[in-house]
Amino acid sequence: MVMIVAQQVGVTLGRRSVLHDVDAAFAPGTLTAIVGPNGAGKSTLARALLALVPICGHVRIDGADVAAMPRAELARRVAYVPQGQTLHWPLSVERLVGLGRLPHLAPMSRISAADTAAIEGAMTRADVLDLRDRIATELSGGERARALFARALAVEAPALIVDEPLASLDPGHQIDVMDLLRAEAAAGGTVIAVLHDLTLAARYCDRLLLIDKGRVVADGEPAAVLTADRLRAVYGIEARVETGGAWPTITTLGRSGR
Amino acid sequence: MNRPIPRPLLLGVLATLAVIAAIASLLFGAVDLSLVRLFAAATGDGDRTASIILFDLRLPRALLALAVGAILGLAGAALQGYLRNPLAEPSVLGTSNAAALGAVAALYFGLAQVHPAVLPLLAIGCALLSLGLLFLLTGDAESPLTLILAGLAVATLAGAGISLALNLSPNPFAAMEIMTWLLGSLENRSFDHLWIALPCIVVGGALLLWNGRALDALTLGEDAAQALGTDLKRTRLRLLLGTAIGVGGAVSVAGAIGFVGLIVPHLIRPLTDRSPSAILLPSAIGGAALLTLADLGVRLIPTTSELKLGVVTAFLGVPVFLLHLMRERRLW
């Protein structure tokens, strides 16, 4: 189990400042959604947590600064599925999932029994066992998302960061993926997901981190974060937020007159 | 889907093919040797003619064909994996053109006559120089596109230099000598050539083979590869050094032999699980076998003057492009 803490994180890409002074902590056993409008800096924050972009400030994993951590060490602690994950060669699903074991393989070593077990386990959890011999580039969108997800699970890292895992999935598969994320958190994982669907985020996540123009504007339980006033200010939308049920539901009514 | 051939079997078959090709290339040529005569010459109690043909002519040529083919196949496989582009080949970085420019300079200025080692050494020097230029041009950028563009710039510059040498060559014979060299050949190569090229090829090959896991991770793109623990800077350094040293060494003795690095990974890939690491070593062995066979073809195809190796491999390259075209148009 790992604790990921961002302290005063700022990111400048090219000459454009994308994130400013972001403070956030991600605890084991919780599923946190990073939400916000397009271009708010959600993906950049996810990448900053993995030291994939140069940052000012600090990101610490269990107290250790990620900027000073060897890549392989970081790879064993945090698994990552980037936005719009590409696959450049037509690998079989099993081979694709096996890529998740790369951080654990010593140079010139062969794949071990533990690796095979991790690959089987990941394929079982993501429900892609029956696709194992299929070519991953020829799968449907939903199958592909599950296969890529299994690849991240095969790392067996205590933390998982997924960037827009629901993009191009139908409602059924969206729920499947959210269930998987929920299960990872329930098993003690530190799970962070960049999401656009606010109702799904509110329903499944323990916590929402709302970002706008590179700054954290709200951080807390979904019901506390998602208020009609805030949605108007951040997204520029008029929305009805119903908090009577088991989780808040958001119905977008239209653009607010700005 | 077609299942991959088990790796030991694939390597075994390819190695057998390479050995058979090498033995055939010792047996056949202007004068055919029988197996008995070859064996007698190899063990030291053969006739003088057979010994000279074997040790001075055919053995260095066969060994060079194996080594040059291996590094071209391997570099092609590694670069296709790194650039994630099935049409990449060793010349995309411009190092083979640069090596050729070094060789052409040696011919143009008459330095090649001073000592047989001058031409290959100048070629390797130019390949390394072009690598420095490549690093200068790409800077810290990690995208494959930057590398391709920088490689293109280096290749174009070297190509322009070669054209200039042809343009300004003092007489038609000098131009002819340069042209002949550029077509690529293993004719009349001695053990001296092998000893110059082999160390470069071995070092370059080792640097390229080292990258298997990083290339596999890159299948998922740069971000995911880094998140899987890949150090992209080191991977690129190893890859560029390996290609420049290895291919530079190969071009320095054999001339610019194209298409082997393009064809071989294509032939090998469907036989494996298609991951970049799985095609590295098989492409090296396959490249060795292919170039040795092509060099044998050069000697056996009856023509008035000997065919050049680069010409034969260029003809072999055409079907690969056609196959891609047909797949793109879904005709096959």
Side-chain angles (χ1 to χ4, degrees):
Chain A
M1 292 195 192
V2 294
M3 182 87 182
I4 303 177
V5 180
Q7 290 172 320
Q8 298 287 303
V9 170
V11 174
T12 305
L13 295 177
R15 294 212 179 105
R16 207 165 60 88
S17 172
V18 186
L19 280 185
H20 327 266
D21 302 332
V22 172
D23 283 299
F26 305 92
T30 54
L31 170 53
T32 309
I34 301 176
V35 293
N38 293 127
K42 305 183 295 295
S43 295
T44 306
L45 176 57
R47 296 178 75 216
L49 295 177
L50 287 149
L52 293 175
V53 282
I55 61 169
C56 49
H58 298 279
V59 173
R60 293 181 207 281
I61 293 182
D62 281 346
D65 202 319
V66 293
M69 199 182 281
R71 275 253 160 252
E73 170 75 30
L74 181 57
R76 284 190 287 270
R77 294 197 188 189
V78 188
Y80 173 55
V81 184
Q83 184 179 1
Q85 169 77 79
T86 42
L87 188 62
H88 292 280
W89 298 107
L91 305 185
S92 71
V93 169
E94 185 170 5
R95 187 73 184 80
L96 165 67
V97 176
L99 294 179
R101 297 309 292 171
L102 286 174
H104 300 275
L105 296 177
M108 301 293 159
S109 64
R110 295 229 151 248
I111 201 159
S112 70
D115 295 320
T116 316
I119 294 167
E120 292 287 323
M123 288 198 294
T124 312
R125 275 189 286 165
D127 193 21
V128 290
L129 266 180
D130 51 338
L131 303 176
R132 65 191 309 160
D133 289 330
R134 293 270 302 278
I135 300 294
T137 43
E138 295 168 1
L139 299 175
S140 75
E143 292 168 333
R144 214 171 106 88
R146 273 166 26 224
L148 290 169
F149 201 71
R151 198 280 299 158
L153 292 181
V155 181
E156 296 194 324
L160 174 64
I161 299 178
V162 286
D163 196 344
E164 293 202 19
L166 306 182
S168 79
L169 293 188
D170 63 46
H173 285 112
Q174 292 190 348
I175 288 179
D176 289 345
V177 167
M178 290 311 293
D179 280 335
L180 274 169
L181 292 175
R182 189 67 258 169
E184 282 304 300
T190 309
V191 187
I192 304 167
V194 174
L195 294 175
H196 268 303
D197 188 317
L198 295 176
T199 300
L200 274 180
R203 175 176 167 188
Y204 279 94
C205 299
D206 304 298
R207 202 178 123 213
L208 300 190
L209 194 66
L210 179 62
I211 296 187
D212 186 29
K213 299 188 184 75
R215 289 177 198 282
V216 176
V217 281
D219 179 3
E221 286 185 11
V225 170
L226 298 175
T227 64
D229 287 344
R230 214 172 254 136
L231 294 180
R232 190 181 307 117
V234 171
Y235 286 94
I237 55 169
E238 291 300 330
R240 188 167 64 228
V241 182
E242 288 164 73
T243 48
W247 58 80
T249 53
I250 289 99
T251 315
T252 309
L253 302 172
R255 271 283 181 195
S256 58
R258 282 187 289 186
Chain B
M1 66 164 282
N2 44 352
R3 295 195 71 85
I5 296 175
R7 194 171 162 84
L9 179 65
L10 178 64
L11 291 176
V13 168
L14 287 170
T16 312
L17 192 66
V19 169
I20 292 174
I23 292 175
S25 112
L26 295 179
L27 289 175
F28 304 115
V31 177
D32 290 348
L33 297 177
S34 66
L35 260 178
V36 180
R37 240 178 121 192
L38 181 73
F39 187 76
T43 48
D45 42 45
D47 56 293
R48 201 173 140 62
T49 321
S51 295
I52 289 174
I53 290 178
L54 176 63
F55 289 108
D56 291 351
L57 296 172
R58 292 200 188 152
L59 189 60
R61 185 167 180 167
L63 292 176
L64 265 178
L66 288 172
V68 169
I71 194 70
L72 291 178
L74 175 58
L79 282 167
Q80 289 182 7
Y82 181 71
L83 299 171
R84 284 152 274 156
N85 187 334
L87 295 179
E89 63 153 341
S91 64
V92 291
L93 298 181
T95 39
S96 38
N97 258 15
L101 177 64
V104 167
L107 290 171
Y108 182 81
F109 293 110
L111 300 171
Q113 271 97 42
V114 178
H115 191 274
V118 172
L119 185 147
L121 290 178
L122 207 60
I124 292 169
C126 266
L128 292 176
L129 208 67
S130 80
L131 184 68
L133 187 60
L134 201 64
F135 275 115
L136 212 67
L137 289 172
T138 49
D140 273 345
E142 273 155 8
S143 90
L145 188 64
T146 325
L147 191 63
I148 292 177
L149 286 173
L152 211 57
V154 173
T156 311
L157 180 65
I162 293 172
S163 303
L164 184 69
L166 281 171
N167 189 172
L168 299 182
S169 62
N171 55 61
F173 299 107
M176 196 63 203
E177 194 188 5
I178 292 173
M179 277 309 295
T180 312
W181 192 88
L182 284 175
L183 291 176
S185 172
L186 290 169
E187 207 184 345
N188 298 330
R189 301 302 193 268
S190 66
F191 272 105
D192 290 342
H193 291 100
L194 185 68
W195 300 139
I196 290 170
L198 199 60
C200 297
I201 289 173
V202 168
V203 170
L207 282 166
L208 291 175
L209 279 172
W210 193 335
N211 293 307
R213 296 238 162 101
L215 296 180
D216 280 354
L218 273 170
T219 301
L220 296 165
E222 275 127 46
D223 267 7
Q226 289 193 75
L228 279 170
T230 307
D231 188 327
L232 287 185
K233 278 207 171 64
R234 284 192 198 167
T235 304
R236 193 177 66 150
L237 184 67
R238 282 196 297 266
L239 204 102
L240 295 190
L241 270 177
T243 307
I245 297 174
V247 175
V251 172
S252 73
V253 294
I257 296 172
F259 299 99
V260 174
L262 175 72
I263 308 164
V264 173
H266 276 274
L267 295 176
I268 299 291
R269 193 169 288 120
L271 309 174
T272 66
D273 64 12
R274 293 167 196 270
S275 60
S277 68
I279 63 167
L280 290 181
L281 192 55
S283 289
I285 306 176
L290 183 78
L291 197 69
T292 311
L293 286 173
D295 186 45
L296 188 64
V298 156
R299 280 177 272 166
L300 295 186
I301 298 169
T303 44
T304 43
S305 58
E306 189 178 285
L307 266 177
K308 293 294 173 191
L309 196 48
V311 179
V312 174
T313 56
F315 274 113
L316 292 175
V318 177
V320 174
F321 286 113
L322 286 182
L323 201 65
H324 257 273
L325 181 78
M326 280 160 76
R327 279 201 192 133
E328 201 61 36
R329 292 185 57 193
R330 297 184 184 282
L331 295 174
W332 191 65

